[in-house]
Amino acid sequence: MTSETQPAVDLDEGTALLVEPSAMPRRERILKTLLHSRELSIAIALLVVIAAATIKSPDFVFSATGWRNLLLTPAMMLLLAVGQAVVIITRNVDLSVGSVLGLSAWLTGELFIAHPGIPWIVGFGAGLLAGAVLGLVNGVLVGYGKVPALVITLGTLYIFRGIVLTWAGSSIISASQMPDGFLNLGTAQILTIPVLFIIAMIIVVAVGYFLQTARSGRELYAIGSDPDAAVLYGLPVRRRVIGAFVLSGALAGLAGVVYAARYGTVSSDAGTGIELQAVAAAVVGGVAIFGGSGTVWGASIGAVLLVTINSALPMVGISDFWQQALVGALIIAAIILDRVLAARQARKLIEARDEQ
């Protein structure tokens, strides 16, 4: 079989598709990839949820408050889901992001109290840096300790939360203690689009572009697909894994700043339990829990979907129990689909090899 007719493996956003390059025009190949993409399926599910809620209550979208909340509410989850997706792609998980968010949010509030005149951008920088340092702690422990990330980050979840509880106690940082310029970010808009949502989307695009174009970004997929083979191939596995945790921590820290700006108050329980939602958003968005595939685009849509479900389903008369049950069903369905697609892909690769 010549190179012109030999099946090629086209890696598109972490998912391999076997195609005949000479038999399928580029436009048809792109269309086929789009129609089979997980992102499109999740986006359709999101549109269905929004449409159902809008039919029941048009103000869900067609009002100034409804439109703003539709975009503003997922901003924090978008940041967490993107960082979580990068970590999961390397076949790890970060369960400490909720505690990192809480610690960064409290740090930001305390910084504004101690230095009332500082620019609000300093608060963003402080939260981002604090999160990156905490992420570095996770990455070093995972990379050098040879302990599963699930165990390490479960431990740091409680350690970081304990620091917040000790530091904050029963105190609350109120809106009156933070600068107006910072709080205005929680409601500021550009062409009816909330500023915090724009910031989150800039991060999504930047990280997505990095994963798809940078060599180090593609290496994360290789590490997640087969860590042992990545080591034998000479990839800097430890450094890449540490970098993934630093990015996850930094984005969780930035999410803490967004939390403070969005709600105007910070307490010691900020971000409690949100780490599981971040993992769910990534998995529902098509990031394989076993690593090696998925995109931040899918994780982002998954984040918006889960947040929208929580706000939309009560409007159509669905109880809290069924809301949680639906999210659980989506997670299970996503994992089963990953296994089915992986098995089918392996079968296609074997068939292609046998034909050579």
Side-chain angles (χ1 to χ4, degrees), residues 35-327:
L35 292 176
H36 286 81
S37 67
R38 290 282 297 278
E39 291 83 356
L40 179 61
S41 301
I42 301 302
I44 292 174
L46 173 61
L47 293 177
V48 169
V49 172
I50 294 175
T54 304
I55 292 173
K56 186 70 175 181
S57 176
D59 287 343
F60 185 74
V61 173
F62 300 111
S63 69
T65 302
W67 171 251
R68 182 174 67 87
N69 290 336
L70 183 65
L71 298 180
L72 182 58
T73 305
M76 184 172 58
M77 186 58 66
L78 279 170
L79 297 172
L80 295 177
V82 168
Q84 195 69 245
V86 174
V87 172
I88 294 177
I89 285 172
T90 66
R91 200 178 288 193
N92 290 287
V93 67
D94 188 356
L95 297 180
S96 69
V97 292
S99 298
V100 174
L101 183 155
L103 184 54
S104 299
W106 188 265
L107 171 65
T108 302
E110 287 287 349
L111 185 64
F112 285 131
I113 293 174
H115 306 280
I118 63 172
W120 59 263
I121 192 67
V122 176
F124 273 81
L128 192 70
L129 179 60
V133 171
L134 298 178
L136 178 62
V137 171
N138 285 330
V140 169
L141 291 175
V142 172
Y144 288 92
K146 302 297 182 181
V147 179
L150 178 68
V151 177
I152 291 294
T153 58
L154 182 62
T156 54
L157 179 155
Y158 289 106
I159 293 173
F160 298 158
R161 182 61 63 181
I163 295 174
V164 179
L165 292 172
T166 302
W167 188 3
S170 58
S171 302
I172 296 178
I173 297 177
S174 63
S176 61
Q177 296 174 288
M178 290 186 280
D180 293 336
F182 176 72
L183 295 176
N184 288 339
L185 290 174
T187 56
Q189 298 180 358
I190 297 178
L191 299 177
T192 74
I193 300 177
V195 170
L196 294 181
F197 179 78
I198 294 175
I199 293 173
M201 289 307 302
I202 290 173
I203 298 296
V204 170
V205 172
V207 176
Y209 182 79
F210 164 76
L211 287 180
Q212 297 304 311
T213 60
R215 177 182 177 87
S216 53
R218 303 306 300 172
E219 287 176 352
L220 295 176
Y221 286 100
I223 292 169
S225 297
D226 193 334
D228 294 332
V231 172
L232 293 175
Y233 189 74
L235 298 183
V237 175
R238 181 180 295 164
R239 187 163 74 245
R240 295 289 179 258
V241 170
I242 292 175
F245 276 100
V246 170
L247 177 61
S248 177
L251 293 184
L254 185 59
V257 182
V258 170
Y259 179 97
R262 169 76 172 87
Y263 296 108
T265 60
V266 183
S267 63
S268 59
D269 64 349
T272 300
I274 202 171
E275 56 276 340
L276 297 182
Q277 298 178 44
V279 174
V283 173
V284 169
V287 181
I289 195 66
F290 301 102
S293 67
T295 66
V296 298
W297 321 115
S300 301
I301 300 173
V304 177
L305 174 62
L306 294 188
V307 173
T308 304
I309 284 175
N310 291 332
S311 58
L313 293 190
M315 302 185 69
V316 297
I318 298 178
S319 65
D320 290 342
F321 169 79
W322 289 111
Q323 294 175 44
Q324 300 299 321
L326 177 58
V327 172

